[in-house]
Amino acid sequence: MEKKQKLLIVSIPGLMMIISIIAFVINTRIAEGKPVILDLSPNILSVGDPLLIKGKNFGSERESSKIYVSSIDILSKYIHSWSDNSIEITIPEKVSSGLVSIETDRGRSEPVVLVLDDNIPFIGTGAYLPGLPFIETIDPSEGGAGSILTIRGDNFGYNTKNSRILFSTIHSRESDSLIGESKLENFLTVSDDHIISWENKEIRIHLPEYATTGDVYIETEQGYSNAVYFEQALINSGIRLQNKRTYMLNQAVSLNAELRGDEAMSIVWFVSPVQTIYQRNIINLPDSHIPSTRSYIDLYEYRIHFTQDMKASFLSHNTIIDIYERNYNIIPTEIIDSYDTRSPLYIKYTESTESIPSTSERIKNVSRSVTRRKDSNFDKTKAIYDYVNTRLTYSDEIENRDPGFVIDSQIGDSQAYSFLFTAMARSSGIPARPVAGILVDKNKNVRDHWWCEFFIQGFGWFPLDPALADGMPWEHNKENPVEYYWGNIDNQHISFNRGERSIPRLFPDGIIYSSNKYSFITHQIETGKDIIELHSLWSDVRITAIY
């Protein structure tokens, strides 16, 4: 009996080791056998066109494996051939631009972007081409973040609608397209808040913080301009990007109208996440049932026509975006501590507004008290950050976000934290702005969220998140959130607005409706006088995929 017990005792560890080895081998084979997409041919096509997917580990037969295009499971009737390294399908009617992935019993592949009916514009060769924008000079030819640049030339158009300025980044490159032309990859668009003026022959901008030494282009509806070289005087080596995540997100709104007559129109704007060096490769997929126009770089305009027979409407807008964690590591003694107080950027981001009352006596007095022993602007903003975190206690149960009220009540949500920091920084003569957006966790849970940025001359916008630093309930796994969220923002943050955005009214005698909670714009819906009342319900942003 004792021998049997000893034998059993000896056998159990051996058996456990064997099981562990088998499990390791199985997991290793599964990991090695995960499908991989290497190429889509062509990668730009139309509905009804054939698509050849090349790769490996697809399996010799389809069996229970699936192909997803824009989150749609492709039916068998559209799949014509399947082998271990290639699959041929026809693009179904209901599919739009989006991500392609393959799922087998060994896992799901990394996604590859598929674009339908995308036009690739020409890039000018340097000579003046009739109809295309042409850059003659950029003055000055070098500068640091925040510098004012004047771009002179011709055919820029008279406004920014459907036009943009493209700057090189550390990731930019030109490549040959499928039809033998050149295309630009990972160039970034100058956002509207950096544009001072735009005329047909002259554009004035503030140099964005993400720009690096390299070529500059202007794109209009006619195509790309010639390239003009620009040199970034201060290379911002203090910014590190890492831990990329790709999100596919959905925005939606339901509308129900009470009409005064037989028909009426309403306009709805969907805000796209803002493009930056850490938010890029943005693909917007507008609602295919209702025509839309890209009114501005980051705004999509839908015009809804209501009748007595059609008083309700539902809009859905999808976006694919790459988000990077960004870490800022700067030496305070080496940054420029002064501002050009006459520049439009300084004036705009130090002004007092209804939401950011930086000139109120309460804000001015508190700001002076908090910063009085600080010599540099950088140290002043750090003191304000520490004050906000110490003064306030986080609470979602708040309606009044006026910074003066928040100081007295000592409670606030992320928007209140953001408004208070921004108001105190502006009161101290430091350009600052709130950032509106969302947080996304690994389980696709989403919540509306606000954080902040302040401007450093020659460096750019420096980010901070006082609400998360102060213990706002959210899973972020940061050992020291107060230290981390001063100059670092993780890849759970997606920003829709950096500062308040004013939308021009198209119906001066109509009614405007406030925007959703994750964007900071004057209004997002507008109706004509033929609508008595419009009932709107914005859904929370949904994350349909994370890669």
Side-chain angles (χ1 to χ4, degrees), residues 50-224:
L51 172 67
L52 179 62
I53 306 171
K54 296 181 181 179
K56 60 182 181 179
N57 301 330
F58 298 159
S60 57
E61 296 180 1
R62 182 192 177 195
E63 297 180 342
S64 60
S65 300
K66 297 181 179 180
I67 304 174
Y68 294 96
V69 180
S70 300
S71 299
I72 294 177
D73 182 2
I74 301 301
L75 300 177
S76 298
K77 65 179 181 180
Y78 297 105
I79 301 174
H80 307 301
S81 66
W82 189 297
S83 68
D84 192 54
N85 55 17
S86 69
I87 300 170
E88 186 174 2
I89 68 171
T90 296
I91 300 298
E93 291 183 2
K94 294 184 178 181
V95 165
S96 58
S97 299
L99 300 176
V100 177
S101 62
I102 295 173
E103 184 178 62
T104 70
D105 58 358
R106 292 190 172 183
R108 190 163 178 170
S109 70
E110 291 296 318
V112 176
V113 174
L114 176 72
V115 181
L116 302 185
D117 297 323
D118 190 33
N119 297 319
I120 304 176
F122 288 94
I123 298 176
T125 59
Y128 184 94
L129 300 176
L132 290 179
F134 175 74
I135 301 176
E136 184 177 352
T137 61
I138 298 179
D139 184 29
S141 59
E142 65 175 38
S147 302
I148 295 179
L149 304 184
T150 301
I151 304 173
R152 296 185 176 92
D154 201 3
N155 290 333
F156 301 155
Y158 292 93
N159 55 56
T160 59
K161 186 172 183 179
N162 297 323
S163 299
R164 57 183 183 153
I165 308 168
L166 298 170
F167 268 86
S168 298
T169 71
I170 56 175
H171 304 281
S172 299
R173 69 189 184 98
E174 297 180 23
S175 64
D176 292 331
S177 72
L178 297 174
I179 54 177
E181 301 166 356
S182 294
K183 64 177 181 179
L184 302 178
E185 294 184 355
N186 290 320
F187 281 70
L188 286 183
T189 302
V190 177
S191 58
D192 284 350
D193 61 327
H194 282 74
I195 298 174
I196 302 170
S197 62
W198 188 298
E199 298 176 357
N200 192 48
K201 295 180 180 294
E202 182 180 287
I203 300 170
R204 298 179 70 235
I205 65 168
H206 288 285
L207 181 65
E209 67 268 29
Y210 51 72
T212 60
T213 297
D215 289 335
V216 178
Y217 296 88
I218 291 178
E219 181 190 8
T220 69
E221 292 180 321
Q222 305 304 315
Y224 287 118

Side-chain angles (χ1 to χ4, degrees), residues 320-332:
I320 302 170
I321 183 171
D322 289 341
I323 303 290
Y324 291 79
E325 177 183 5
R326 59 252 192 218
N327 310 114
Y328 290 67
N329 183 21
I330 65 173
I331 302 173

Side-chain angles (χ1 to χ4, degrees), residues 506-527:
L506 302 182
F507 299 122
D509 55 351
I511 303 173
I512 61 173
Y513 295 84
S514 59
S515 61
N516 53 49
K517 296 179 181 179
Y518 54 85
S519 58
F520 193 23
I521 61 178
T522 51
H523 62 279
Q524 211 157 353
I525 300 175
E526 185 175 353
T527 67

Side-chain angles (χ1 to χ4, degrees), residues 462-523:
F462 187 88
L464 55 138
D465 192 331
L468 276 180
D470 199 33
M472 184 191 90
W474 186 257
E475 183 181 348
H476 52 64
N477 298 322
K478 305 297 185 295
E479 292 184 5
N480 189 339
V482 174
E483 180 179 331
Y484 177 84
Y485 286 112
W486 170 258
N488 302 289
I489 297 293
D490 56 40
N491 58 11
Q492 295 182 322
H493 290 67
I494 302 177
S495 61
F496 284 81
N497 289 108
R498 303 167 76 191
E500 187 173 10
R501 180 72 178 273
S502 179
I503 305 297
R505 292 192 61 172
L506 302 182
F507 299 122
D509 55 351
I511 303 173
I512 61 173
Y513 295 84
S514 59
S515 61
N516 53 49
K517 296 179 181 179
Y518 54 85
S519 58
F520 193 23
I521 61 178
T522 51
H523 62 279

